[in-house]
Amino acid sequence: MRTPRIRLPHSLAGRLFATQIALVAAVVAGCAVFAYLADRDQAEESARRQVTAAAVAVAASPAVQTAVRERDPAVRLQPYAEQVRRDTGVDFVTIMSPDGVRWTHPDPLRIGERYLGHTEPALEGHTFSETYTGTLGPSVRTVAPVRDEDGRVAGLVSAGITVDAISAQVRDQVLVFLGVALTVLAFGGAGTYLLIARLRRDTHGMNAAELARMRDYHEAALRAVREGLLMLDGRHRVALVNDGGRELLGLRGDVIGLPVTELGLPPSLTEALLAPGPRVDEVHLTDERVVVLNTSPVAGGERHGTVVTLRDHTELQALSGELDSVRGFAEALRSQAHEAANRLHAVVSLIELGRADEAVEFATAELELAQALTDRVVAAVAEPVLAALLLGKAAQANEHGVELVLTDDSHVDDGLLPPDLSARDLVTMLGNLIDNAVDASCASGARPPRVTVTVRADGAELLLRVADTGPGVPPEAADEIFRRGWSTKTTPPGGETPGGRGLGLALVRQAARRNAGTVALADAPDGGAEFTVRLPLQHVRTTEGVPV
C-alpha cells in the first residue's frame, strides 16, 4: 500500500503561511507547557508555605498548648482544628500525641487512629514539610511540634493540602493561560493571513523556484538587451540600470539609489528624466553619444517611478552625416559635369569658328585651374581619407560659390595617422566644420566668401583648423555652440533649430572626445569663426572616456 504524499502549498505565500502558523502554534504550545510546569511548582511552593504557616500558628496557640495536657484533648481541639482549617483554606489540620495518635481529623471517624506520615524530625523539635499519601490521598503537609511550659514536645500539629487541590488550582490557571494563548494564536493567524495575502498578491501566487527562475530570466534579459534600460523610483533615484544603460549614459561604479541629479548627466537629459510626463523619441547628447530617450511613468493609484529606455543613435548620426557628404559629392559631380559640358561646348564652338588657338588656350586654362587645387591637396595631404574629403568639400563649396583654400603650412604624410584614429571620426569632424563654415560664409554676404582649411601634424598632435568669412559666433553663445540644437544655418546664434537640426558641432565634440582630443573656438582673421581640433597621434582611442 502506497503512503499518500503530503503536498505542500505551491505558492511562496502559502508555504510561508503554513510555516508561520506552525511556528506560532509551536511557540504557544511551548509557552503552555512551560507555564504549566512553572505554575505547578509555584502552586506546590505556595501550598507548602500556607500549610507551614497554619501548622506553626496552631502549634504556638496557647489554647492548643493547654488542651494537649488534658485527659481528653480531642473534645476541645477538634472544633478548634476544624475552625482553623476552614479559616486558612487547608484540607486538614491534625493535632496528635507525640506517639502519633490523632486528636483531630476532618473525618471524625479517624480520630484515635495513628497518623500516617513521618514525625521523627518534629519529635526532635524541628518543623518540616513533606509530600505524603495519607487518608485523604497525596498531600503536601507540614508537621510542627507543640511544646509545654518546660519546652518538651507535648504534641504534634500537621496541616496539609491535597495534591488534587493543588492540581485543580494549576488547571484553572492553565485554562486561563490557554484561553489567552488561543486568542493570541487566533489574532496572530489572522494577521499572518493578511500579510500572506498581500505577499501572494505581490508574488502573483508563484513559489520560490518560480521566483528564482524569473529572477534569472530577468538578469539574463537585462544583459542581453543592447538598448539601455533605466528605472527610477518615485523619488527619482536609480532603482535599476542594465549594462546598456550604463554604457550609453557613461555611468561608472554603483549608482543604485543615487538621485538623477547626482549622475553627472547633461542638463537637458537630467531635465527629461525628472519630467513628470512621458517623453517619446527625444534626441539627447552625452559626452560621447547621441541617444534617443523614451520615458513612461509607472503609476498604480500613486506615482511609483519611471521606466526609461535609451537607444544609441551615434552610429546612425555618423552614417547620416556620411550620406549627406556622399549626396553633396554627387551634387557637386553633377554640377561639375554640367560645367564641363558647357566648357566642352565652348571649345567645340571655337573650333567650328576656326579659332583653334583660342580653343586650345581656353581648354588649357580651365584644365590648369581644375588641376591646381587637386595638385595642391595631393601634395600637401598624402593621407587618402583627408585628401578625398578636402577635394569633395572643395567641389561642394565651389557649387555654392565659396572658395575653399588649403593653407600653405598644411602637410600630412601618408601613414602618419595611427590605426586607432577612425576614418569615420575624421570625416565627422572635418566634414561638419567645413559644412558649417561654407553655410556661414554664404549667409554673411561677404565678398569673396572663403573657407580656409589647415590640416597638419603639429608635434605629437594632428591639427584640423577651419576658418570662415561668416558673421562669427557671439561671445555669449560660445558655451552653447556644442550642444544639440545650436546652428548658424537657420537660426540666430544660440537659438534652437526646428526639426532637431544643429547636431554637427555636437558630433564634432563627441568625436574629438572619443579620440582624446579637444575642440576650441576663436575669431578668424577675416572676421568669421575659427574652429581648431587637436588630436593626439598616439593612443587616441578611449574606452568609456579613459585614454588607452
Side-chain angles (χ1 to χ4, degrees), residues 305-521:
T306 305
V307 176
V308 182
T309 58
L310 303 162
R311 300 195 307 274
D312 188 2
H313 271 215
T314 306
E315 296 295 325
L316 181 60
Q317 291 293 339
L319 291 174
S320 177
E322 291 182 16
L323 180 60
D324 289 342
S325 296
V326 171
R327 186 182 292 112
F329 294 159
E331 292 294 327
L333 290 175
R334 183 187 60 78
S335 176
Q336 286 185 343
H338 182 72
E339 290 296 323
N342 290 336
R343 295 186 183 103
L344 182 60
H345 283 305
V347 171
V348 171
S349 298
L350 288 173
I351 293 175
E352 290 177 347
L353 294 174
R355 299 182 177 183
D357 293 339
E358 294 180 13
V360 171
E361 181 181 355
F362 177 78
T364 302
E366 289 296 323
L367 180 62
E368 289 177 352
L369 182 64
Q371 190 65 29
L373 179 61
T374 301
D375 292 342
R376 175 78 183 90
V377 170
V378 172
V381 182
E383 178 60 39
V385 173
L386 291 177
L389 178 64
L390 289 172
L391 289 174
K393 291 300 180 183
Q396 285 182 278
N398 183 64
E399 175 72 10
H400 290 84
V402 177
E403 180 185 7
L404 191 147
V405 178
L406 186 66
T407 59
D408 295 336
D409 60 344
S410 295
H411 183 76
V412 177
D413 293 331
D414 189 14
L416 177 67
L417 301 183
D420 288 337
L421 180 56
S422 169
R424 176 176 295 175
D425 286 344
L426 279 176
V427 171
T428 296
M429 290 182 285
L430 189 56
N432 277 292
L433 290 178
I434 293 177
D435 288 342
N436 286 348
V438 170
D439 290 336
S441 297
C442 290
S444 68
R447 291 294 180 266
R450 183 172 60 255
V451 173
T452 305
V453 179
T454 302
V455 180
R456 61 184 172 86
D458 186 13
E461 295 179 326
L462 174 65
L463 182 143
L464 307 175
R465 179 175 291 150
V466 178
D468 59 61
T469 57
V473 178
E476 63 271 12
D479 295 333
E480 298 292 326
I481 59 174
F482 294 107
R483 66 178 177 84
R484 172 184 174 269
W486 195 95
S487 176
T488 60
K489 296 179 181 180
T490 58
T491 59
E496 289 286 345
T497 60
R501 298 181 59 189
L503 282 174
L505 292 177
L507 293 176
V508 170
R509 184 175 66 173
Q510 281 189 343
R513 286 181 173 177
R514 278 198 300 272
N515 295 277
T518 60
V519 183
L521 169 66

